[in-house]
Amino acid sequence: MSTLAEFRPLTRPAARRPAVRPSRYDLSQLGPNWYAAVMGTAILGNAAAALPVRLPGLIGFGEVMWGLGLAALLVLGTARLVHLARHREAARAQLLDQPAVAVFYGCPPMALLSVGLGTLLLGSRVIGTGPAVAVDAVLWGVGTLYALAVAGGIPYLMITRHPVSVLESNPTWLLPVVAPLVASACGPALIPHLPAGTPRQAMLYACCGLFGIGLLATLVLLPVVFTGLLHSKLPTLVLTPSLFLVLGPLGQSVTAVHQLADAARPVLPALAPAMLDLAELYGVAVIGVAVLWLAVALAANLRARRAGMPFAMTWWAYTFPIGTCVTGASALSRHTGFGGFTALAAGLFLLLAVAWVLAAGGTAAGLARGRLLAR
C-alpha cells in the first residue's frame, strides 16, 4: 500500500514560514463558572488570615494563596475579555438562553470581592497598605455594583425569559443572590481607611443594606431550592457538589454580621452593643444549621463518589462555601472566646484545604489532558 512517505522529494524543500499552531483550548466554552476557582483560592487565603489559631507560616501561606487568587483573576479576566470579544454569540447565549449557566454570573463579583479583601488582609504586607487599600476599594466597588446587577438581573431573566421550573431548581440558583452578602462581609474592612464621619457611616449603612438584600433573597430562594431537590433530585452526579452551595449564604451571613458589629463600634457606638449581641445569637444559630447541612452534603457526595462521580468544575463548590463557614466560626470564636468555635474553625479550615487540593488538582489535570475547554 502506498504511503505519503513514498512521494517525499529527495531534495530539501524551500524554506517555509512555520505554521501557527492553533490553541488546543476553545475559549467559546469559557463560562462564568470558572470564576469559582478564583473564589475558592482567595477564600483559602482569607480564611488563613481570619483563623483564630496562629500557627507558624500560616500568614505566609495565606499570602501565597492571595497571590495565586490574584493571578488567577487576572488570567481568567483576560480570557473572558477574549471570550466576549471573539465569541459574542456564545456569551449572549450563556446569559440569555442557558439558565443553567446564567446563574453562575454570581461568581465573577464574588471573585472580585474575595480577592479585594485578601489584598487588604494579606497583600498589604507585600505591596504596602496604601496600594492595598486602593486595590481593595476598586475591586469592592466594581464587585458590589456587579453583585447588585446580578442579584437583580438573573432573577429578572428567570421570571421573564429563562425556561425554568421551580420543581427542577437546585442550589446553583443561590449563586446570584449570595453576591451581595459577600459584599456586605468584605466592605467593613475598608471603613477604618475612610475619612471619619459621614463617609464611614455611609459605608456601614451600605453594607447593612447589602446584607439585607442578600439575606432576604436567600430566605426567599432556599425553600424553592429544597422543593426542587425533594421533588426532582439532582439530575446528574456531577451536580452533587452543588449541595455545598447552601453553606455559602449561611457562613457568609454569619461573617457579615460580625464584621458589621466590629465596624459599628467606632462609627455607631450607640448601636454597637446591640449589634454585637445580635451577631453572637444569630451566628450561633446559623452555624448550627450550617454544620448540620455540611453533614448532609458530605454524605451525599461520598455516595456520589462511590457511584463513580467524575471530576467537573462543580468540585469548586466544595471550597468557597466551606471557607465562609471558616470565617464565620472564626468570628464567633473571636467574639465569644468559646474554644469550641476555635476548634470548629480549625477543623473546617483543614477540610477547606483538602477541598482546594482536590478541586485545583482536578482542574490542572483536566486542562493538561484536554478534558476541559478542549476543542
Side-chain angles (χ1 to χ4, degrees):
M1 182 180 291
S2 299
T3 65
L4 289 177
E6 297 176 33
F7 298 97
R8 289 176 181 168
L10 298 179
T11 57
R12 183 183 297 274
R16 296 179 181 177
R17 178 180 296 179
V20 178
R21 187 176 183 180
S23 172
R24 62 185 294 187
Y25 301 118
D26 182 6
L27 289 184
S28 67
Q29 302 180 37
L30 185 67
N33 60 312
W34 279 77
Y35 281 93
V38 180
M39 295 162 55
T41 302
I43 196 67
L44 182 55
N46 295 347
L51 204 65
V53 180
R54 293 293 91 186
L55 299 175
L58 184 62
I59 296 301
F61 170 77
E63 290 172 349
V64 171
M65 299 311 299
W66 162 74
L68 287 175
L70 177 61
L73 179 63
L74 293 174
V75 171
L76 185 56
T78 302
R80 282 287 291 175
L81 288 176
V82 174
H83 170 81
L84 295 173
R86 297 184 179 180
H87 307 284
R88 294 181 181 178
E89 288 303 316
R92 184 179 184 278
Q94 287 177 351
L95 179 62
L96 300 180
D97 303 322
Q98 299 174 16
V101 178
V103 291
F104 284 96
Y105 270 91
C107 292
M110 290 190 280
L112 293 169
L113 293 162
S114 300
V115 172
L117 179 62
T119 304
L120 189 56
L121 297 179
L122 298 159
S124 58
R125 288 162 48 98
V126 179
I127 64 176
T129 300
V133 170
V135 171
D136 186 23
V138 171
L139 291 180
W140 186 86
V142 174
T144 298
L145 292 175
Y146 201 157
L148 291 172
V150 168
I154 298 303
Y156 172 79
L157 290 174
M158 295 174 77
I159 293 170
T160 62
R161 183 182 179 102
H162 290 164
V164 295
S165 169
V166 169
L167 297 181
E168 296 177 354
S169 60
N170 64 75
T172 62
W173 286 26
L174 295 170
L175 287 170
V177 300
V178 174
L181 274 177
V182 178
S184 71
C186 296
L190 284 168
I191 291 177
H193 303 281
L194 296 175
T198 302
R200 293 186 181 184
Q201 290 181 355
M203 184 66 165
L204 181 59
Y205 286 136
C207 290
C208 290
L210 290 166
F211 175 80
I213 292 171
L215 182 62
L216 291 177
T218 298
L219 292 176
V220 168
L221 271 180
L222 272 177
V224 175
V225 169
F226 285 127
T227 299
L229 289 174
L230 292 173
H231 184 274
S232 301
K233 317 305 179 189
L234 288 169
T236 61
L237 280 178
V238 295
L239 270 179
T240 307
S242 70
L243 291 173
F244 278 84
L245 295 177
V246 175
L247 297 174
L250 301 178
Q252 198 65 75
S253 63
V254 173
T255 303
V257 292
H258 284 272
Q259 295 298 100
L260 291 169
D262 285 339
R265 290 176 182 173
V267 179
L268 300 173
L271 292 178
M275 291 181 69
L276 182 57
D277 291 340
L278 174 63
E280 292 182 11
L281 292 173
Y282 176 88
V284 172
V286 175
I287 280 293
V289 176
V291 171
L292 177 62
W293 186 256
L294 175 62
V296 173
L298 281 173
N301 276 268
L302 290 174
R303 178 177 178 271
R305 286 292 293 162
R306 289 194 297 269
M309 179 179 67
F311 174 80
M313 289 299 290
T314 51
W315 282 33
W316 283 102
Y318 296 142
T319 56
F320 191 83
I322 295 177
T324 67
C325 293
V326 175
T327 57
S330 297
L332 276 170
S333 172
R334 185 176 71 252
H335 283 152
T336 65
F338 178 55
F341 292 127
T342 302
L344 177 62
L348 289 172
F349 182 79
L350 292 176
L351 183 61
L352 170 60
V354 172
W356 185 87
V357 170
L358 292 175
T363 302
L367 287 171
R369 297 171 184 172
R371 294 198 304 265
L372 299 175
L373 296 180
R375 284 188 177 277

